[in-house]
Amino acid sequence: MKTWLPVLLENLGESPILALANARNLARAAVLNREGRVLAGSLGSPALTAQAMEAAPTLAPRQTKIIDGPTPLILERLEPDEKTRRFWHTAQENQDGAWASWLLTMPRREGAEVRLVRHLLSAFGPWTTPRLPVDNEWCLLPLKAGLGRLFIFGDDALAMETAALAARVGLSVTWLSAVDQSGPELMEARGLADFDLQTLPDWPHLTAEFLAALGVKPGVKALVTAAQPEDFLESLRAAGPSRLTLSGEAEEAPAGLFAKPVTISQKALGLIAEML
């Protein structure tokens, strides 16, 4: 399923519905059209999705509805006024540019009416702590979890799988490949989570200057799966990533938490778990 925030922005002119599933103050999000079709995102269970799809067509412009239950649902039909557009564009900019970013939603009940108060909590340095409300009726939706930045160097399925899974859990991922990547596998991987993919002319293109311009520096993580990394490995090590892992065809010693992974997905998951 596509990432919800860019799809929300693309469809603001069509009055989409933003649905949040609030499990113990941590939210999941989905975007639906006015007819109740899910356009992007996930609420975590078919039952919650069915509830949102049933309620979405009943919402009037700018109406908010809360469906109480073990996991409450918060639905709002957004209208494309200037204030709304500015808020969601800022959310996208913060997701792209901040170290970590969250969407805080606080329902305010006024009799039978519900009004939503939203704030963007964005950290532009890793020591920023979000200020949370003291009452219980709020939910926090991660736009970017702030787990760090990962660079992946490789052309293979392991590089693709790790890029998608790492981005899904909250790492900011840049995948570099010396092969033009395309096809249904890439579309499926990008449907799981957003990551940056850059195609290189060849691996010797990764000079120290290029790596520095890319943002490879002390503190970031790096994974190499390329079959012949000798052309850039020295420059990459000199850039000083906090963790440099060689896996796949570049592997020097077994990497990841699973000693004998059965599938590529299990291998990728073990690598990410070891990094974090």
Side-chain angles (χ1 to χ4, degrees), residues 37-71:
R37 182 169 65 89
V38 177
L39 302 176
S42 171
L43 297 176
S45 83
L48 290 172
T49 302
Q51 284 184 296
M53 293 175 69
E54 182 180 356
T58 69
L59 292 179
R62 295 184 174 83
Q63 184 183 359
T64 295
K65 184 173 185 178
I66 295 180
I67 303 174
D68 290 317
T71 302

Side-chain angles (χ1 to χ4, degrees), residues 18 20 76 87-88 103-106 116-120:
L18 176 61
L20 301 180
E76 181 184 16
F87 180 88
W88 292 110
L103 173 66
L104 174 65
T105 298
M106 297 179 290
L116 297 184
V117 179
R118 298 193 193 275
H119 295 284
L120 294 171

Side-chain angles (χ1 to χ4, degrees), residues 98-119:
W99 175 81
S101 186
W102 306 267
L103 173 66
L104 174 65
T105 298
M106 297 179 290
R108 292 290 180 258
R109 300 177 188 260
E110 299 167 355
E113 299 294 320
V114 179
R115 181 174 62 90
L116 297 184
V117 179
R118 298 193 193 275
H119 295 284

Side-chain angles (χ1 to χ4, degrees), residues 46-221:
L48 290 172
T49 302
Q51 284 184 296
M53 293 175 69
E54 182 180 356
T58 69
L59 292 179
R62 295 184 174 83
Q63 184 183 359
T64 295
K65 184 173 185 178
I66 295 180
I67 303 174
D68 290 317
T71 302
L73 277 177
I74 304 170
L75 294 94
E76 181 184 16
R77 179 171 162 182
L78 303 172
E79 293 299 306
D81 57 84
E82 184 57 34
K83 183 179 180 181
T84 301
R85 288 183 184 277
R86 188 165 59 248
F87 180 88
W88 292 110
H89 277 286
T90 300
Q92 181 68 72
E93 290 167 1
N94 287 0
Q95 180 175 313
D96 293 340
W99 175 81
S101 186
W102 306 267
L103 173 66
L104 174 65
T105 298
M106 297 179 290
R108 292 290 180 258
R109 300 177 188 260
E110 299 167 355
E113 299 294 320
V114 179
R115 181 174 62 90
L116 297 184
V117 179
R118 298 193 193 275
H119 295 284
L120 294 171
L121 308 177
S122 298
F124 292 90
W127 302 279
T128 308
T129 302
R131 295 175 60 190
L132 299 176
V134 293
D135 61 346
N136 288 324
E137 199 166 21
W138 56 270
C139 63
L140 200 61
L141 175 64
L143 302 179
K144 180 185 287 185
L147 296 180
R149 191 167 184 191
L150 170 64
F151 291 89
I152 300 173
F153 305 87
D155 306 316
D156 57 355
L158 179 59
M160 181 184 297
E161 192 79 16
T162 309
L165 290 176
R168 180 69 177 170
V169 301
L171 287 159
S172 178
V173 178
T174 299
W175 173 24
L176 295 106
S177 172
V179 172
D180 187 25
Q181 303 286 340
S182 60
E185 294 84 2
L186 179 62
M187 292 181 65
E188 184 178 351
R190 285 195 140 158
L192 184 63
D194 279 342
F195 54 85
D196 180 33
L197 171 60
Q198 297 190 30
T199 303
L200 304 172
D202 49 42
W203 290 119
H205 193 75
L206 289 174
T207 62
E209 293 76 18
F210 184 88
L211 289 169
L214 193 65
V216 182
K217 59 185 179 180
V220 306
K221 301 173 178 67

